[in-house]
Amino acid sequence: MAGGATIRDVAQLAEVSLGSISNYLTDKKPVSPKARGRIESAIAELGYIPNAAARIMRGARSHAIAFMIPDAGNPFLTEVARGIEDVAIRSGYVVVSCNTDGDRSREDHYAQALSEMRVVGAVVMAMSTSESHLRKLEASGAVVVIAGSGHRNSGFPTVEVDNVHGGYVAMKHLLERGHRKIVFFGGPGAEPQIDDRYAGCQQAIVEAGLDPRNLTRLDAHGNSTAARVTGAERVADIIPEVTAAVCANDLLALALEATLIRRGVSIPEQFAIVGYDDIDTAELAPIPLTTVRQPQYDLGRVAAQLVLDLADGNEAAVIESFVPELVVRSTT
């Protein structure tokens, strides 16, 4: 149709009122299944494209779910995103990804923009130590769900991952192989989760009757490859005072592995490495990486479904809590 179909054209072809079309587009009032079918057929036949901006101005929420992440370069988050997208697409939504880099100013920027967009909700992965941006988003009417655990008693619905257990099994594995001087190699942008993994490491050390001060902690100062490599160099510099590392994620572990290979350090004979996440490249690394596996796709799927259920006014069913597992490969 020249100039594009209008809402009046859809109403005429579907033989319904303009009010019924408005209710269908904004979800403000229910539309009978029979009328809904005629409207959808008319929209398809005419190629009508609803004006999302106009819908939002009339008070409707956009058909968008936000995915707020601390590091767009981490392949782990790609699989989480796929789980979110599959749920969103089946329900007629799109996913808007927002990379915060763990920076508070970026978190605030996205919270404001998403509030103005009137997204139906947000899945927040690896939240920072601040909640202010999430409170702002929640105040706009959006549902906020934390994926992978967040602050204790934050009040946000959360799809839990037992990160303390993940750190615990990683450290216990190294202790069982005779290591006593171990470094925890962390990074920015996911402090509650990383701190839980660190706490799990300390728990394993204390349980073994050792001094938790035997665990050194070094953090990379950014999420770029250069920052990870710089952090890995700092870890390498304290060998042989330490003989093994638990890394907060696989990208840090792989940067450390590459650094040690370049320095001629034998893995695992001279130094052992445990990563976290079990991204695809962990198994394909020059020395396949021992790591802690998280349920990447399922984490996104469950979190996205929880957003939509809560947005529809349904009470949250039992929220799954995932338990990470150790995958032993050649770096230990």
Side-chain angles (χ1 to χ4, degrees):
M1 177 177 291
T6 68
I7 189 173
R8 291 182 181 278
D9 297 323
V10 175
Q12 183 176 357
L13 182 60
E15 298 180 339
V16 298
S17 68
L18 288 174
S20 294
I21 300 291
S22 177
N23 290 335
Y24 170 84
L25 293 174
T26 62
D27 294 325
K28 278 190 171 182
K29 293 182 180 179
V31 177
S32 71
K34 188 174 181 180
R36 180 177 291 273
R38 293 204 305 272
I39 292 169
E40 290 173 350
S41 296
I43 286 174
E45 182 176 335
L46 295 171
Y48 172 70
I49 300 175
N51 186 328
R55 289 178 61 246
I56 292 170
M57 288 178 67
R58 290 194 296 269
R61 304 210 73 82
S62 65
H63 282 190
I65 299 172
F67 182 35
M68 299 185 73
I69 56 177
D71 179 10
N74 191 333
F76 171 80
L77 296 173
T78 302
E79 276 300 293
V80 178
R82 193 165 65 86
I84 296 171
E85 288 169 352
D86 284 355
V87 170
I89 289 170
R90 283 198 300 270
S91 300
Y93 287 79
V94 296
V95 178
V96 179
S97 292
C98 306
N99 177 39
T100 69
D101 259 341
D103 179 81
R104 291 192 183 185
S105 64
R106 290 173 69 102
E107 290 174 344
D108 289 339
H109 166 78
Y110 280 124
Q112 182 64 37
L114 294 171
S115 297
E116 293 172 2
M117 287 173 61
R118 293 184 59 78
V119 296
V120 70
V123 175
V124 182
M125 188 77 200
M127 61 187 288
S128 75
T129 53
S130 171
E131 295 179 6
S132 60
H133 63 297
L134 302 183
R135 296 297 176 193
K136 178 186 293 186
L137 189 53
E138 184 182 52
S140 76
V143 173
V144 176
V145 169
I146 308 299
S149 306
H151 288 310
R152 299 294 175 265
N153 304 315
S154 69
F156 293 111
T158 302
V159 180
E160 293 282 350
V161 173
D162 192 344
N163 285 292
V164 174
H165 176 75
Y168 173 83
V169 297
M171 179 58 67
K172 186 176 181 181
H173 175 67
L174 292 175
L175 293 172
E176 288 174 345
R177 274 155 177 71
H179 296 280
R180 292 297 179 265
K181 297 290 187 178
I182 301 167
V183 60
F184 182 87
F185 185 22
E191 287 89 342
Q193 293 81 2
I194 291 177
D195 287 347
D196 279 354
R197 294 166 196 175
Y198 180 65
C201 290
Q202 291 181 310
Q203 179 181 324
I205 288 175
V206 171
E207 185 180 282
L210 302 172
D211 189 337
R213 289 176 296 184
N214 287 357
L215 179 60
T216 301
R217 178 166 179 173
L218 292 175
D219 289 337
H221 296 308
N223 288 319
S224 67
T225 299
R228 294 186 192 104
V229 171
T230 298
E233 295 283 359
R234 292 170 58 215
V235 173
D237 286 343
I238 59 175
I239 298 172
E241 283 76 17
V242 293
T243 64
V246 174
C247 301
N249 62 52
D250 284 344
L251 292 182
L252 291 167
L254 293 172
L256 180 56
E257 177 181 314
T259 297
L260 297 185
I261 290 173
R262 285 196 299 271
R263 290 196 179 195
V265 177
S266 179
I267 304 171
E269 291 78 11
Q270 291 177 282
F271 196 89
I273 305 171
V274 179
Y276 205 107
D277 288 338
D278 196 26
I279 61 176
D280 289 343
T281 47
E283 188 173 10
L284 302 176
I287 304 172
L289 181 66
T290 294
T291 187
V292 177
R293 175 181 293 158
Q294 293 197 81
Q296 305 166 37
Y297 177 87
D298 286 341
L299 188 58
R301 175 186 59 79
V302 171
Q305 191 59 58
L306 181 57
V307 165
L308 295 181
D309 287 346
L310 292 173
D312 284 343
N314 300 323
E315 289 196 19
V318 176
I319 300 172
E320 289 187 55
S321 180
F322 295 103
V323 178
E325 60 179 319
L326 183 73
V327 179
V328 179
R329 298 193 182 103
S330 302
T331 55
T332 56

